[in-house]
Structures are given as structure tokens and as C-alpha cells.
Amino acid sequence: MQKGADPAVSVIVPMHDVAQYLPDFLTCMAKQSYGDYEIVAWDDGSDDDTSAICARVAAKDPRIRLFSAENQGVAGARRSALAKARGTLITFADPDDMLDAAYLERLVRAVTEHDADMAVCRAQNFEDGSEPPASAPDSMLEEVIGRREAASRLCDRFFVDDDHSIRPELWGKMFTRATMESMTIPQLRTCSDYPAVTDAICTSNRVAVVHAPLYFYRMARAGSLQTKLSQSKLNDIWTVHEYATDACQALAHVEPVHLYRETVGTVFYLNEKIMASAGAMPLAEVRANYCRYRAYLRAAGVHRGLNPKGYLKLMLYRGAFAPARWAFDHLG
């Protein structure tokens, strides 16, 4: 990036108490094969050394722009950082995760060469406390799909393999400025990604899919919102599910089977969170049951021979709401 020129890419990085992980994240950013970027780092009221660590690195790398404010939650932090972004392309990353060295290069190329409105790559999970995966294989396989197919894959993510799913998180994706303008990031404590990604997909004409795991997601980080459960979080999960299915139906015209799969997948996701939080069974057993039910539903086709409203009502009660009532009655 030439001095004084706007960067091609803005990387939006909301930060809150991530001092333990931030050095590794900034190191992986420094190793990116594509260098025409800025990091818009927004410290969202951290109580640890997050801001100080970022400031020290920023003093040596002018591509890092650090902003700080009182805590407003990840959704507000992302919106505030977006207002400061100067790039023509936008991507998001969480500072406790890691990126493949080719992450920016592959996504920039996918957007520009395919004249796409957004690009997505695969993600690979790794457990907190373990080493992140090795660099992704140099797979050049890419495809371009329309909004209907992209929305269908978003809804089908619980039932298809990683190669053909699209995750609902903002990270692992790159958006044009025009696409960003169509996105809503609601002020929720959790799950604010899903409506934004849905908006982007449902207003995109061309979505470039990069079939390589370039984003490495850290699971079960201590203190992460993903490890906590509350009634408001359950409500948020269901609220964004309804928002997404309505948009996918109205704007992308996906077929009912994909909407049913999204609903059933959400129910089992809620059930997994509830049962694990309630201590009703070990987490490993919950996950095994979830995979077993998912495989059964996939084989059954979910929708065949079923009355959608009656079936979903039964699933909601047995799969989520009844255990939720028990959990919160007993746990407070």
C-alpha cells in the first residue's frame, strides 16, 4: 500500500479481553501473502492488556489502526469499526482465531476475477489450547453460485459436508462495499452475524466459493460468548433463525426443504446447548446424539411425508423448549 493511499482491503477486528491470543493473530496477519490491507482494530472496553499489545504492534506497522471505546458488544464494535474502514473490500476476523497466509490473497482474487459481490472460504475448527491447523492445501478449486444456491447452502449447513455449506458467521468471507451497504448487524449480544450474512447473500448476484479451509476457528475459548448460555441467548438464536428463513424465502426464493432443514438444525443446535448447560449428559454424548439425529434426518430427507407445522411444533417442544424449561427451572 502506498503511503497516503486507501487500502484495497479493510480487516474488521473487534477485540475484548483477548490479550492471550492477540500476538498470534497479529503475527498471522503480518504473514499474509497479500499486503494491501488495513486492520481496523476496535478495542471494546477490554479489562486486560489487549489495547496495549495492539498499540505496540501498531507502532511498528502503520496498517494497524487502533480505536478504543466503552464496551458495547461485538455487534456495536463491528459497526463502529466499519465506520472507520477505508478499503473497497471488507473482511472480518476475530482476534482469537487464525488465518491461513493466503487468506486475503485468495478471497481478493475470488471477488475480482469472478466479478463477485462476496466470496466465502471454508473454515476449520481447532480446540482452545491446541495448535491451529497447518496451512491449507493449495487447492485452486473455486466456483461461482447465485443467491438462491448460496442461501440454500446456508440453510443446509447442518446437513451437508463442509465443502458445500456456507457458515452464518461474518468471518471467512469478503464483501464489496456495495454488498456491505445491504447488511444489517443487529444489536444482539450473540448471533448478530447471521442476519448480516443473510442480507449479503440475498442481495448478491454472484457469490464466489473458495474450496479451501483458510480460516481457523478457535472453539470453546474461556470467556467467549459461545461458552455461555442464557435465556436471552436462546431467544437471540431463534430470532435470527426466523429472520434468516424469512429473508431466504422472500429474497432468494429457496425451496421449502431448505427452510425445514434450517429449522430442524436450529432446534438440535438449541438442544445441544441446553443439555450441555444443564449437565443432563456429558458434552461428548450430546454431540454424538446430535450427529446421530442429523444423519437420520439427512437420510430421511426431513420433509418427506411430514406436515411441516405439526412436525416443527413437536420438534420445538421435545427438542428445545421442554429441556429449556427444565434447565432454567433448576439452574435459575
Side-chain angles (χ1 to χ4, degrees), residues 88-129:
T88 56
L89 297 173
I90 308 292
T91 190
F92 295 80
D94 288 345
D96 52 343
D97 296 336
M98 301 287 283
L99 308 180
D100 186 87
Y103 174 83
L104 291 179
E105 180 182 359
R106 290 293 304 274
L107 291 186
V108 169
R109 188 169 64 210
V111 170
T112 55
E113 291 188 356
H114 298 297
D115 191 26
D117 302 292
M118 61 180 287
V120 303
C121 68
R122 289 178 56 198
Q124 188 169 342
N125 298 338
F126 71 103
E127 296 287 343
D128 191 23

Side-chain angles (χ1 to χ4, degrees), residues 147-328:
R147 73 183 64 160
R148 185 179 186 183
E149 175 63 21
S152 298
R153 294 187 189 187
L154 181 69
C155 292
D156 283 353
R157 66 190 181 280
F158 294 101
F159 296 93
V160 298
D161 58 57
D162 289 341
D163 252 343
H164 295 92
S165 67
I166 294 180
R167 296 179 64 145
E169 297 88 358
L170 279 166
W171 45 255
K173 300 169 181 67
M174 185 167 286
F175 309 92
T176 65
R177 275 278 179 181
T179 304
M180 285 299 310
E181 292 174 357
S182 71
M183 290 168 52
T184 299
I185 303 179
Q187 187 58 40
L188 301 172
R189 295 298 295 182
T190 186
C191 303
S192 58
D193 299 46
Y194 196 4
V197 171
T198 303
D199 288 342
I201 286 174
C202 290
T203 56
S204 293
N205 293 314
R206 297 166 65 83
V207 178
V209 181
V210 178
H211 290 284
L214 303 175
Y215 192 97
F216 307 131
Y217 173 70
R218 189 186 305 269
M219 297 182 65
R221 172 174 71 85
S224 169
L225 287 173
Q226 300 303 318
T227 63
K228 302 175 183 178
L229 185 69
S230 66
Q231 187 65 61
S232 62
K233 179 173 182 176
L234 295 177
N235 293 340
D236 286 349
I237 292 171
W238 192 252
T239 296
V240 298
H241 153 73
E242 290 184 319
Y243 179 95
T245 51
D246 287 347
C248 288
Q249 182 178 35
L251 300 177
H253 307 293
V254 301
E255 297 179 1
V257 60
H258 306 294
L259 305 178
Y260 301 158
R261 287 176 177 172
E262 157 62 26
T263 301
V264 173
T266 300
V267 167
F268 278 112
Y269 177 74
L270 284 165
N271 192 36
E272 178 185 6
K273 296 293 185 185
I274 293 163
M275 297 298 284
S277 177
M281 66 174 65
L283 181 58
E285 187 175 349
V286 173
R287 288 178 174 171
N289 283 330
Y290 171 76
C291 291
R292 185 181 303 114
Y293 290 132
R294 182 177 67 172
Y296 168 77
L297 290 167
R298 183 192 301 166
V302 179
H303 64 300
R304 295 173 187 166
L306 298 172
N307 176 282
K309 290 184 178 180
Y311 173 69
L312 293 179
K313 183 177 180 181
L314 183 65
M315 287 294 296
L316 286 171
Y317 181 77
R318 292 184 176 174
F321 293 153
R325 183 183 301 133
W326 179 91
F328 289 103

